[in-house]
Amino acid sequence: MARPRKRKEIFALGNEAVVEGALLAGCSFYGGYPITPSSEIMEIMAARLPLIKDGVFIQLEDEIASMGAIIGASLAGRKVLTATSGPGFSLMQENLGYAIMAETPMVLVNVMRGGPSTGLPTSPAQGDVQQARWGTHGDHPIIVLSASNVQECLDMTITAFNMAEKYRTPVILLLDEVTAHTREKIAIPNQGEFEVFSRTVPSMPPEWYKPYEETVRGVPPMPPLGSGYRFHVTGLTHDRNGFPTQRPEEIVELMERIHRKIDQFFYDIQLVDTIDTADADVVVIAYGSVARSAELAVRQARENGVRAGLLKLKTLFPYPRRQTEKVLAHARTLVVPEMNMGQMSREVKRVNMGRASVRTINRIDGQIVTPSEILKVIMQG
């Protein structure tokens, strides 16, 4: 029996690890506009993509055009990526809604920095959490993932591509400046050691194909444009053939389906890590770089005799309600540290419904939440 191949190890920034993950997942098109602190993703993609078969890199005039470019490339059958921060993320919101309505797979990385407006371009923040969920208008589903260390930047990028392809939807990967610019040793998985999912293509003849037809999973097959299957793409509410409609029954059918294709697969989408939560009286709920501070604080609390645990959110939306309710079965206190004024704690409080005491730790000064800050609140019980 052949021995498994040793994984290649490299030292990388979080932003570099995103590129490694994207290429492993099969990304062949990048369209973007540089902005601190995400620019390394674009710079490395500019060097790496032209070296792979059919790889295309393009710098657009702004973030609006960047989204338009990756939507078009995805419709043509490519796995696509863009990356941005703060002001650029705001500019992307209209086309993000278009991609949701047209059910166009894509991965959008937002490396969060202090805001609003130009804000703190080189400082960490987590102020775009609710924007990631609700930034584009209208009722819409969205998948928002997060990473707390450099290895996770690689792993969660692969996961983001798989979810985008599996559910025909944009997926947002939220990093913060600390995670993006931390340099650590990571292991590059070998081919065959991880899942690579590609969108389902139609098996019926072109004349039978309906681009937005109901399916068991709620996810219609998606052929690349130019492959012989003709279909209409629009941001307008549309019928099963992709043409605009104002018929109430067709509107309801579309809206319910694009939500159901996410809602019925929570078990696959809602990802968390738990540390010492089984008997924890105090549970810290954290994400991004703050989860690293929380992990150390939990360990120090245990050493001081406090039964503390960590629920690390790798999926931010749809919010992991079931996993939160599991720790609520025994926790009397929830601690939610984040680099904003309380955006994720809103979700925690909504699920908690008064069962446990929820204590928040919020920093909005461009500085990280430290382990000692979290430990202090944990020790208060």
Side-chain angles (χ1 to χ4, degrees):
M1 182 176 180
R3 296 177 62 184
R5 282 198 308 153
K6 184 178 180 181
R7 290 186 174 189
K8 178 183 176 182
E9 294 183 336
I10 63 171
F11 282 95
L13 297 174
N15 281 343
E16 292 178 84
V18 167
V19 173
E20 296 292 343
L23 296 176
L24 287 170
C27 177
S28 63
F29 187 96
Y30 184 98
Y33 185 83
I35 184 170
T36 303
S38 73
S39 296
E40 292 89 357
I41 297 174
M42 183 172 180
E43 292 166 0
I44 301 168
M45 273 296 200
R48 297 281 299 275
L49 265 182
L51 302 179
I52 70 171
K53 183 181 178 181
D54 298 327
V56 175
F57 170 90
I58 181 169
Q59 177 175 326
L60 285 302
E61 64 267 29
D62 57 31
E63 290 85 355
I64 300 171
S66 301
M67 286 291 286
I70 66 170
I71 288 171
S74 181
L75 291 170
R78 300 298 189 98
K79 291 186 178 183
V80 301
L81 173 70
T82 193
T84 191
S85 182
F89 192 49
S90 295
L91 288 173
M92 291 180 171
Q93 294 303 320
E94 182 178 3
N95 267 342
L96 178 62
Y98 185 96
I100 292 168
M101 183 61 96
E103 299 181 70
T104 310
M106 66 172 61
V107 175
L108 192 170
V109 180
N110 175 17
V111 183
M112 294 180 286
R113 70 192 214 185
S117 189
T118 310
L120 298 165
T122 60
S123 298
Q126 294 175 320
D128 301 349
V129 169
Q130 290 294 339
Q131 183 186 20
R133 177 60 187 93
W134 297 110
T136 196
H137 65 280
D139 287 320
H140 64 276
I142 194 72
I143 297 174
V144 182
L145 307 178
S146 181
S148 64
N149 58 54
V150 179
Q151 185 68 54
E152 283 184 6
C153 287
L154 185 154
D155 298 339
M156 295 306 291
T157 299
I158 295 174
T159 298
F161 273 96
N162 285 340
M163 288 187 180
E165 296 286 315
K166 190 180 295 184
Y167 301 112
R168 270 194 72 173
T169 184
V171 175
I172 298 170
L173 176 59
L174 284 186
L175 308 180
D176 57 68
E177 187 276 336
V178 170
T179 305
H181 287 153
T182 295
R183 186 179 295 275
E184 295 176 317
K185 182 186 286 188
I186 62 171
I188 309 295
N190 298 309
Q191 292 293 338
E193 294 180 347
F194 56 94
E195 178 188 30
V196 175
F197 194 96
S198 296
R199 66 196 67 171
T200 302
V201 296
S203 57
M204 73 284 288
E207 60 270 22
W208 294 358
Y209 177 62
K210 293 185 178 181
Y212 298 101
E213 190 168 24
E214 181 65 82
T215 67
V216 174
R217 294 177 59 246
V219 184
M222 183 181 182
L225 288 171
S227 62
Y229 291 82
R230 297 183 62 183
F231 59 97
H232 189 260
V233 182
T234 179
L236 290 166
T237 303
H238 46 267
D239 61 18
R240 293 187 177 193
N241 291 309
F243 291 102
T245 182
Q246 291 190 352
R247 294 179 177 174
E249 66 276 12
E250 291 178 335
I251 297 169
V252 171
E253 179 184 273
L254 171 66
M255 294 299 291
E256 288 185 344
R257 181 179 59 75
I258 65 173
H259 281 82
R260 191 181 74 254
K261 72 179 183 180
I262 305 298
D263 294 349
Q264 68 180 343
F265 294 105
F266 280 176
Y267 66 87
D268 181 53
I269 296 170
Q270 294 173 330
L271 307 175
V272 302
D273 281 345
T274 58
I275 297 175
D276 293 331
T277 56
D279 65 341
D281 296 321
V282 181
V283 175
V284 183
I285 300 178
Y287 56 97
S289 64
V290 179
R292 303 187 73 160
S293 294
E295 185 173 348
L296 177 56
V298 164
R299 188 162 65 244
Q300 292 173 336
R302 286 270 173 176
E303 291 170 355
N304 283 278
V306 176
R307 290 190 297 183
L310 170 63
L311 178 65
K312 181 170 73 172
L313 306 178
K314 299 167 82 171
T315 299
L316 303 186
F317 297 103
Y319 180 78
R321 183 186 190 103
R322 179 176 56 84
Q323 294 88 333
T324 303
E325 289 180 333
K326 187 174 181 180
V327 301
L328 279 170
H330 49 77
R332 65 171 186 269
T333 302
L334 303 179
V335 179
V336 189
E338 47 187 336
M339 292 184 288
N340 57 47
M341 296 184 73
Q343 295 191 25
M344 188 51 67
S345 63
R346 289 172 175 264
E347 301 300 317
V348 174
K349 291 173 182 175
R350 178 175 60 85
V351 174
N352 179 53
M353 294 190 296
R355 284 176 280 185
S357 171
V358 178
R359 300 185 180 181
T360 61
I361 303 171
N362 307 107
R363 292 201 73 157
I364 53 173
D365 57 359
Q367 304 299 309
I368 64 170
V369 180
T370 65
S372 59
E373 290 177 281
I374 300 171
L375 178 62
K376 181 179 178 180
V377 176
I378 292 175
M379 298 304 291
Q380 293 170 355

